[in-house]
Amino acid sequence: DAQLVESGGGSVPPGTSLKLICTASEYTFKYYPMSWVRQAPGKELEWLAGTSTVGTATYAGSVNGRFGISRDNDKHTLELQLNNLKSEDTAMYYCTKDRTWYADVSRYNDTHDVLERGQGTQVTVSS
C-alpha cells in the first residue's frame, strides 16, 4: 500500500512561516488529487486546501491568502506553505490522498472522499 509521510512541523512564534511536506511512496502519486487537513485539540478534522492532479488549488476560506498548496509529481511530494501563523493554527496537520478534486470549496465541506491519510506533523504556534 502507498504511504504518506508528513514532515516540516514544529513550534514557532506567531507571525512566522513553516513549510510542510508530504512525501508519497508510490509512483502513482500523480494520478490522485491531494489535500491538507488539520485537527486541533478537542476539535473536528478541518479541510484546508486541495489540489488537482495537475496542481490546480482550492482553499478553505479560513486559510485563503495565508496558506499555499503545491505538488511536485516528479518528486511525489505535496507541500503546504503556512504564512503569518496564528495561535489558532496550532494543530496536527495531515496530507490526504483523495478520490476527487473539487473547484467548489463547499463540496469539500460536504464530502471529502479520502483514500489515505498520513500520520501527521504537529504545528504549534506560541509566543
Side-chain angles (χ1 to χ4, degrees):
D1 287 342
Q3 289 187 330
L4 302 174
V5 179
E6 300 93 339
S7 61
S11 183
V12 296
T16 57
S17 299
L18 278 176
K19 179 180 285 186
L20 308 183
I21 299 174
C22 170
T23 303
S25 62
E26 64 173 357
Y27 72 97
T28 57
F29 171 83
K30 63 183 179 181
Y31 298 124
Y32 291 96
M34 301 288 294
S35 287
W36 285 96
V37 300
R38 70 184 178 188
Q39 188 164 29
K43 295 189 176 181
E44 294 185 352
L45 207 60
E46 177 187 12
W47 175 84
L48 300 173
T51 174
S52 70
T53 57
V54 295
T56 308
T58 309
Y59 294 97
S62 60
V63 301
N64 198 7
R66 288 197 304 126
F67 292 4
I69 188 172
S70 61
R71 67 188 296 160
D72 187 327
N73 286 339
D74 291 332
K75 296 181 180 178
H76 308 168
T77 57
L78 177 75
E79 295 184 353
L80 186 68
Q81 178 69 41
L82 315 176
N83 297 320
N84 190 22
L85 283 162
K86 305 175 182 180
S87 58
E88 52 262 43
D89 295 319
T90 295
M92 185 70 80
Y93 286 70
Y94 303 91
C95 63
T96 67
K97 183 176 82 171
D98 301 339
R99 188 180 305 279
T100 308
W101 172 77
Y102 301 111
D104 183 349
V105 174
S106 65
R107 297 293 302 276
Y108 280 105
N109 294 330
D110 293 338
T111 305
H112 180 199
D113 197 348
V114 176
L115 298 173
E116 183 180 347
R117 193 179 80 181
Q119 294 300 306
T121 185
Q122 176 69 37
V123 173
T124 301
V125 184
S126 174
S127 56

